[in-house]
Structures are given as C-alpha cells and as structure tokens.
Amino acid sequence: MIGIDHTTAPVEVRERYSFTRAGARDVMNRIRLTSEKSTGIRGCVLLSTCNRMELYVSLTPEAEPELYEMICGWKQIDPGPERALFYEKKDMEAARHVFELTCGLRSQILGEDQILTQVKDALMLAREETVTDNCMEVLFRQAITAAKEIKSSIAFDKGNRSAATAVIRMLQKEGMLFDGKQALVIGNGMMGKLTAQALMEAGAQVTVTVRQYHSGTVDIPEGAQRINYGERYEKLADACYIFSATASPNLTITPERLTGIGLEGKTFVDLAVPRDIDPAVGELPGVRLLCMDDLDVEQLSGEQEEQQTRAQGKIAEALTEFERFFFGRDMIPRIGKLAAEISEDLWGRMRKECTTLADEQRMHIEQAVRRSGDKVAAHMLYALRDGLDAESFAHCLQVLEGDYQSKR
C-alpha cells in the first residue's frame, strides 16, 4: 500500500492527491483494463477521504510497480519532492495498517465511526469495478469484521465524535456560543448529516442545503430546515456559522459571491478535501475560516490509551487469522490435490474388498469413498494448517506430498 494522510501532509497537498467517487472509478477501470503482466496488480482498493488517500494492491510475486508514479500519472502531477510525504507498507505491515485504520486507531479522533463506513464504501466500489481479488476481499472483510467487534466491545471515550463535533468543542472552549445561533450546513452526505446533528446538539438552529433534483426525497436530521443548494448565499447572510462538507470537486463558497453580504464575525468551516470553500474567503475582513488541519485534537487520556491497547490486542488476534490465510493462500491448491490423493489411496485399499459386488454397487461405493475421503482429508489438513505456524505447516505439507509421490 501507499498513502498520504493528515500526519504527513497539509490539506493543500492532500487535496492534490484526493479522488472523487467518479475519479476513483476511473482509476480502477484503468487498472482493470491494464494487463496484469504489465503492472503485476491482481487486485486493488482505493480509499480517499478528507484526511487520507491510500491505494492498496495485491501483486504477482515478481511485481514491483512504482505506485507513486502511477498515482501522479492518474492525477496529472509531475513526480517531485512530495514523494517524501507518502508512506509505503508491505505484507503484514500493510495488513495491520488496514485493521488499525478501519477501527479508527489512525484517525484524528480516536475511534471515530466515519472511517468504518468509508472503508466499506471503498471496498464496495472496488467490487463494483471488479478489481478486487481474493486477497483484497479477505483482508478488507476481516478488517471490517474486527472493527465492528472492537467498536461493540470497547466504548472509546469520546470516540463517536465527528470532525464537526471536534470543531464545535474547540470553538466553545474559545468562548463562542451556538445556542440559538443560525448555522448553515452545505452538503447532505454522511459528513453533512453528522455536522447538522452536532450543531443541533450544541443548540444551533440548522439549515441544510440539498440539490434541487433531490428536493423532497433527501433525508435530513429531524429538526433541521432545508433549502435548495442554489439558495445558499441568501441563507448565508443570516448564519453565524457556515459548515461545508460535500464530495463535490467544485467550490461551494467563493469570495466573489460574498460581495454585499455582512461578513463580520462569521465563521466558515471547511470539512472537505479537496476543500469546498475558496481559501481566499479566509482573507476577507471579519471572517474566520477553518479547515481539517485546524482541528484541535486533544492528547489521549489515560483511559483512551488503555482502550487503544485493548483494541490493539484484538487486532493482533484478528491479524493472526489473516496471516494464516495470507501465507497459506498458495497452499490451498496443494491441499486440494493432496486430499484427492489421500482419497485415491483410500479407495485403492478398499477396491479389493468390492470385487465381488455388482458394477453399479461398486461404482456407488467408489463415489462415496472418494467424496467423503476428499472432505475428511481436506478438513484434517486445514485443521493442521490452523494449528501450526506457516513454516511448520509448509514443512508438514511437503513431507506428506513426498510420501504420496513415492507411492506413485
């Protein structure tokens, strides 16, 4: 995997490498149409959120693709010094990253819930574009399952906060009030709904924009008002707080459209990457503009550190299961072949006892012996695999294969 996130790069760099949903589809379609022999890529999942862009790939054994150069090609960016802002991980280190990411241990806010939905969406999109393979499927399915288990068994302290909640609490610490204040939320996706809910919980009177072609069908938080997206500037004039959180590649607020609107004391909060609000808005007199990089993330408390340790323990258990699959995936065909040889040997030992039977009876018995022999042998071999480390099982399999080869 290769990635860039809020710990390695500021928002103005991250947004250069972010992908819209349509952009992600285009990339995966290119990968699907490109020969595996030329790239070595068997499967992939692309994750692009407000805080990160990460590309996961499973490769042929000999493949060493230049993933950073591939990303730059897709984004039409000249490879340069920003390469140092990307991190790369391989094999079980990459797998651990997926597990930690999915349960919220790598988020700005410990244990936040949005990332689980975002990972599931990324996997679903990759499935729709038919670019996942068995390795990607098993890795992400197990990571999602582990994250659900962790979230159900470990109640992270403040872990269900959204980025919007973190911004609101930061502003409240500064003495800013929300009770009874007008707030405008631009965007009605997952982040927009969480933002509207957080503002209402803080006491604000919230209005949410919806696209006109969705008007009347979009679900907004109960208690919020709605307006068409095209009316946002008119409503903005009355709002103290303006939050924008869309997945649109276009700017939702530009300084040119703010002419004639009283801006003194207004706070704009941009929760999108790429950014929704033109950064020049923050230079206007009387305006304060915040983005994801301005989030006031508190140091972990002792309780949160203990919760993180417990989560890491559960991740280690889940990783052990994935490790068995990962290092044993190439052995699956060998297990099947060996099970067939075992059932063949079993029938060879029984054949003489069936010589006096009619042909039809003998055929039914042979089919039953081979079928049950295959199942029992395979079950025993998989049980052996699950009870041993990868190296020991590989040695056992080699010995068994050698034994049956000598019998031929």
Side-chain angles (χ1 to χ4, degrees):
M1 64 82 65
I2 185 171
I4 187 171
D5 70 7
H6 62 281
T7 67
T8 66
V11 64
E12 58 266 23
V13 175
R14 297 199 307 276
E15 65 186 359
R16 281 161 47 82
Y17 295 95
S18 67
F19 290 89
T20 62
R21 189 174 181 84
R25 283 190 185 278
D26 178 63
V27 165
M28 288 185 281
N29 185 51
R30 293 190 200 185
I31 291 174
R32 179 169 52 81
L33 295 177
T34 304
S35 170
E36 180 183 307
K37 291 183 179 180
S38 63
T39 63
I41 296 177
R42 289 174 168 169
C44 75
V45 173
L46 176 62
L47 175 68
S48 187
T49 73
C50 56
N51 274 334
R52 70 187 70 250
M53 187 287 298
E54 294 178 348
L55 175 66
Y56 299 87
V57 294
S58 58
L59 305 170
T60 56
E62 68 282 357
E64 293 184 359
E66 293 292 342
L67 296 178
Y68 174 67
E69 282 73 10
M70 291 176 65
I71 293 170
C72 288
W74 297 331
K75 300 296 293 184
Q76 298 182 338
I77 297 172
D78 291 331
E82 290 174 351
R83 174 69 181 86
L85 303 177
F86 282 75
Y87 43 86
E88 289 190 70
K89 302 177 188 294
K90 296 181 179 180
D91 296 336
M92 292 307 296
E93 184 184 9
R96 176 177 289 278
H97 184 90
V98 176
F99 278 79
E100 292 177 346
L101 172 75
T102 307
C103 71
L105 296 191
R106 292 187 172 271
S107 298
Q108 275 184 294
I109 303 168
L110 179 67
E112 55 98 359
D113 288 337
Q114 297 97 295
I115 188 61
L116 174 56
T117 300
Q118 290 163 340
V119 169
K120 288 193 291 186
D121 287 346
L123 176 61
M124 185 60 66
L125 190 62
R127 286 172 175 168
E128 291 173 4
E129 296 301 314
T130 63
V131 293
T132 59
D133 66 343
N134 191 38
C135 186
M136 290 287 99
E137 283 284 348
V138 173
L139 171 60
F140 278 85
R141 281 204 315 268
Q142 290 187 358
I144 290 168
T145 299
K148 290 178 178 177
E149 181 181 343
I150 287 170
K151 288 180 180 296
S152 66
S153 61
I154 301 175
F156 285 106
D157 181 33
K158 300 180 181 178
N160 290 328
R161 290 187 303 166
S162 64
T165 308
V167 172
I168 291 168
R169 289 186 178 180
M170 180 180 76
L171 294 175
Q172 286 174 327
K173 285 182 180 179
E174 297 175 4
M176 299 185 71
L177 303 176
F178 287 84
D179 193 27
K181 302 291 185 179
Q182 292 286 335
L184 174 65
V185 176
I186 302 173
N188 193 53
M190 177 181 66
M191 183 62 80
K193 290 176 183 177
L194 288 171
T195 300
Q197 191 64 49
L199 284 164
M200 286 191 293
E201 290 173 359
Q205 298 178 15
V206 177
T207 300
V208 179
T209 68
V210 298
R211 295 287 183 176
Q212 191 165 10
Y213 54 82
H214 284 160
S215 184
T217 63
V218 174
D219 178 34
I220 66 172
E222 185 177 354
Q225 302 297 313
R226 73 168 68 198
I227 60 169
N228 290 333
Y229 174 76
E231 300 170 348
R232 64 195 183 282
Y233 284 101
E234 288 82 353
K235 185 63 181 179
L236 184 152
D238 300 325
C240 295
Y241 302 99
I242 301 92
F243 284 69
S244 190
T246 79
S248 171
N250 303 313
L251 294 173
T252 59
I253 301 291
T254 60
E256 295 78 14
R257 297 287 303 275
L258 295 176
T259 303
I261 297 177
L263 300 176
E264 186 66 36
K266 292 188 185 297
T267 299
F268 291 78
V269 181
D270 193 339
L271 298 176
V273 177
R275 285 170 288 182
D276 278 346
I277 301 175
D278 190 326
V281 169
E283 300 172 8
L284 298 175
V287 167
R288 183 180 184 185
L289 174 60
L290 301 173
C291 69
M292 290 296 296
D293 285 0
D294 297 313
L295 236 63
D296 182 15
V297 181
E298 303 169 352
Q299 292 291 322
L300 295 184
S301 65
E303 182 180 359
Q304 287 175 314
E305 290 180 350
E306 187 272 335
Q307 291 163 345
Q308 189 175 47
T309 300
R310 287 172 56 202
Q312 288 286 8
K314 291 184 176 294
I315 286 174
E317 295 174 4
L319 271 173
T320 299
E321 182 179 350
F322 176 74
E323 188 174 16
R324 288 197 189 102
F325 157 79
F326 183 66
F327 290 107
R329 67 196 189 283
D330 294 333
M331 297 180 186
I332 293 174
R334 292 169 62 189
I335 290 174
K337 184 178 179 181
L338 184 57
E341 290 181 342
I342 292 172
S343 64
E344 171 67 28
D345 180 57
L346 177 61
W347 171 242
R349 296 170 187 269
M350 296 180 63
R351 183 183 292 114
K352 293 181 181 180
E353 305 299 326
C354 298
T355 53
T356 59
L357 299 176
D359 289 345
E360 186 176 356
Q361 289 178 308
R362 188 167 60 251
M363 181 185 68
H364 285 307
I365 292 175
E366 180 181 357
Q367 290 176 343
V369 168
R370 289 183 182 277
R371 186 166 54 250
S372 58
D374 269 352
K375 289 182 178 180
V376 172
H379 179 77
M380 293 175 68
L381 289 169
Y382 280 117
L384 186 64
R385 182 197 67 173
D386 293 344
L388 297 174
D389 59 74
E391 185 178 354
S392 298
F393 177 67
H395 177 68
C396 288
L397 198 61
Q398 185 177 11
V399 170
L400 289 167
E401 288 171 331
D403 183 48
Y404 278 93
Q405 286 174 359
S406 66
K407 290 181 179 181
R408 295 200 205 103

